[in-house]
Amino acid sequence: MKVLVIGSGGREHTIAWRLAQSNLVSEVICVPGNGGTATESKCKNIDPKENADLQFLSFNDVAVTVAKKEKVDFAVIGPEDPLAEGIADALWNAGIPTVGPKAQGAALEASKDLSKVFMKKYGVACAASETFTEKEAALAYVREKGAPIVVKADGLAAGKGVVVAKSLEEAEKAVKDLMDGNAVGEAGKKLVIEEYLQGVEISVLAAVSVTPETAANGKACIKAFLPARDHKRLMEGAQGPNTGGMGAVCPLEDVTAETMAQFEKNILQPTLKGLVAEKMDYRGFIFFGLMITKDGPKALEYNVRLGDPETQAVLPMMDFDFAELCQAIMNGTLDSFEMKWKSGFQVAPVAVSGGYPLKYAKGKVITIAEPVISHAGAKIFIAGAVKDRRTEGQPLVTSGGRVLACSAHGETFREAWGKAYEAMCGVQFEGMFYRRDIGLPGAAESN
Ligand code: AMP
Ligand code: GLY
């Protein structure tokens, strides 16, 4: 089988790597891919910017055109933006089976208001909230509730749309900045203002197979993967500015079976009930952002895709064929698909460009000492790096803030941690920075 993977980050490199390991898969076409997928076994990149016949097409048309030309058997969509733009609808309409929800399902991430309406309607455990489109009403509400309080832009805002306000002044400023369109533009014209939840955060990624057929035959299902944790702050000890993610671990020693059972009952099952009741065609992945509070897990958000960098820690723990999982999602047999997991732990710290998440240089040559990586038994997943084709030998050079992750497995957390950081010592580029505490006590975000 040939598979199309859409996206260019570390998540997509990991997805492509896992698909390429399947005996069912002969080739993985990555659009646009990155410097990691460029050299991964069985993988080939197609960059629309470098193809005259793709350059001026909409992204949905690019996906359909490549899928048809390459005769792919199915597609896997990495990021949320194309899903919100209906890439899954376009591909299914063109006869290409696709892993990733159609636009109706993708709206669960694209609109915070819609996702809260959905959660409340179907009894998903979550923070109390109200939605506002009028600034004065929003300000009156935060004054009435007081701080701490959480102010969220309704629309997709690349991680910049949420303010956890510790004081009333901060909350009022957030309301004004977001609603005046200064902070995140149109995305902030509607606000969700939410109860502040105290606890520690985790990410549960899951496979979803909900279609009118599975809804009718009772086979609609969501199957959760092992729990994982991202580390979003730049500095050790969960300090400094928010980033796209500085590293991930899977599974989590501090998450009990009881917590997972509560999650299943109070969050996962009501979500499934909602997807079925809303007659969604949702075949893909869902990511539950959870706060583990003293009253059990509460849903903070849905993402309609796999997490980045969680994927770099979760997918290597899979002891089953990822291509078979994709097929089960698409053909409605997920309910009888057995997910087996490796024992032990996976740790995946991320190396970023100096200055990230603000200003940082690009084009820095990356050197990777292969003997160090193989001694550690680690896998490097490339995120913001490309092959520099203008230079002799086509070296890997940085092209983004988050550059790569070193992902390693161990039977104990400590072993996995040691191997991942041993591998990190084999990577070098000018300005390289990484947190040394991924997965350690005190590293997780909590409040
Ligand atoms: P979201 O995009 O909704 O996941 O929010 C981004 C981040 O803001 C989360 O990862 C949490 O760290 C924080 N956050 C969101 N909602 C709340 C809440 N109700 N209480 C406390 N922190 C929150
Ligand atoms: N790791 C958080 C996200 O993918 O949104």
Side-chain angles (χ1 to χ4, degrees):
M1 285 193 305
K2 277 175 95 169
V3 189
L4 172 65
V5 173
I6 300 288
S8 63
R11 167 182 49 210
E12 288 76 23
H13 182 191
T14 314
I15 291 171
W17 165 78
R18 273 259 69 150
L19 286 166
Q21 285 176 339
S22 170
N23 289 331
L24 302 174
V25 173
S26 55
E27 193 174 20
V28 183
I29 312 290
C30 304
V31 175
N34 63 27
T37 54
T39 51
E40 193 66 52
S41 138
K42 297 190 196 171
C43 295
K44 174 173 98 177
N45 286 355
I46 297 181
D47 188 345
K49 287 206 272 323
E50 293 172 2
N51 275 273
D53 50 342
L54 299 175
Q55 238 166 20
F56 300 109
L57 298 181
S58 72
F59 198 69
N60 286 356
D61 288 342
V62 166
V64 170
T65 306
V66 173
K68 284 187 166 164
K69 183 156 177 249
E70 296 288 333
K71 299 192 171 52
V72 304
D73 293 278
F74 69 92
V76 182
I77 315 301
E80 65 275 21
D81 287 334
L83 290 166
E85 296 291 328
I87 196 169
D89 307 64
L91 284 162
W92 279 107
N93 287 343
I96 316 291
T98 299
V99 179
K102 292 184 175 173
Q104 186 196 7
L108 285 175
E109 175 169 355
S111 164
K112 299 251 185 227
D113 175 44
L114 195 138
S115 78
K116 290 300 297 223
V117 169
F118 179 93
M119 287 181 196
K120 290 178 192 169
K121 184 168 171 191
Y122 296 103
V124 176
C126 63
S129 69
E130 294 280 341
T131 297
F132 296 91
T133 50
E134 300 295 334
K135 189 162 67 180
E136 284 315 315
L139 288 170
Y141 183 76
V142 298
R143 285 174 196 137
E144 180 201 325
K145 293 286 173 188
I149 194 160
V150 183
V151 183
K152 300 184 175 185
D154 175 56
L156 289 175
K160 298 193 180 76
V162 176
V163 178
V164 180
K166 294 286 163 65
S167 67
L168 184 57
E169 294 72 49
E170 222 184 313
E172 289 184 9
K173 184 173 179 321
V175 169
K176 289 177 194 158
D177 286 350
L178 289 167
M179 279 202 151
D180 290 341
N182 299 330
V184 296
E186 281 300 308
K189 297 279 172 183
K190 194 191 259 187
L191 296 184
V192 173
I193 303 185
E194 199 171 270
E195 168 199 10
Y196 171 83
L197 294 176
Q198 205 153 20
V200 56
E201 287 184 61
I202 70 166
S203 308
V204 181
L205 318 184
V208 185
S209 187
V210 175
T211 62
E213 295 77 47
T214 58
N217 66 18
K219 292 188 172 189
C221 89
I222 304 181
K223 280 205 171 157
F225 300 162
L226 294 179
R229 178 172 286 130
D230 179 9
H231 296 67
K232 291 199 189 100
R233 301 294 201 97
L234 180 70
M235 311 295 282
E236 280 147 33
Q239 303 295 311
N242 257 321
T243 70
M246 298 296 291
V249 292
C250 171
L252 304 172
E253 285 178 308
D254 59 320
V255 173
T256 62
E258 190 197 346
T259 297
M260 289 309 284
Q262 289 173 330
F263 158 73
E264 178 85 24
K265 175 165 175 273
N266 300 331
I267 296 172
L268 187 150
Q269 288 302 336
T271 300
L272 175 61
K273 198 173 92 194
L275 295 181
V276 168
E278 300 287 329
K279 300 192 169 29
M280 298 245 188
D281 182 353
Y282 194 127
R283 285 176 271 185
F285 301 108
I286 194 162
F287 163 152
F288 299 90
L290 307 179
M291 187 74 88
I292 310 303
T293 73
K294 64 176 178 19
D295 303 320
K298 300 263 173 95
L300 289 179
E301 62 166 350
Y302 295 121
N303 295 305
V304 297
R305 49 170 175 83
L306 295 175
D308 191 335
E310 287 91 334
T311 299
Q312 291 87 312
V314 175
L315 267 57
M317 288 295 296
M318 291 177 170
D319 208 4
F320 54 84
D321 185 320
F322 190 71
E324 283 180 17
L325 173 72
C326 291
Q327 286 184 312
I329 288 170
M330 292 182 294
N331 66 22
T333 56
L334 181 64
D335 70 318
S336 56
F337 185 85
E338 197 191 343
M339 295 198 300
K340 280 213 217 123
W341 298 92
K342 287 185 193 159
S343 59
F345 294 84
Q346 194 80 23
V347 176
V350 170
V352 302
S353 301
Y356 171 80
L358 301 172
K359 239 174 93 108
Y360 55 86
K362 294 183 184 173
K364 301 294 177 191
V365 174
I366 304 168
T367 56
I368 297 176
E370 289 302 342
V372 177
I373 311 303
S374 58
H375 182 264
K379 172 73 189 168
I380 294 191
F381 293 119
I382 299 295
V386 291
K387 290 251 150 203
D388 178 4
R389 283 202 247 123
R390 293 162 310 179
T391 304
E392 172 92 25
Q394 305 197 356
L396 198 57
V397 296
T398 63
S399 62
R402 288 188 297 162
V403 175
L404 56 82
C406 291
S407 187
H409 181 262
E411 283 306 320
T412 62
F413 169 76
R414 275 288 167 177
E415 186 193 347
W417 188 91
K419 287 176 167 181
Y421 282 98
E422 180 188 343
M424 206 51 119
C425 295
V427 177
Q428 258 187 322
F429 54 89
E430 196 185 309
M432 172 175 164
F433 173 79
Y434 58 92
R435 271 177 69 165
R436 286 157 209 269
D437 67 342
I438 297 305
L440 295 183
E445 272 99 49
S446 63
N447 51 39

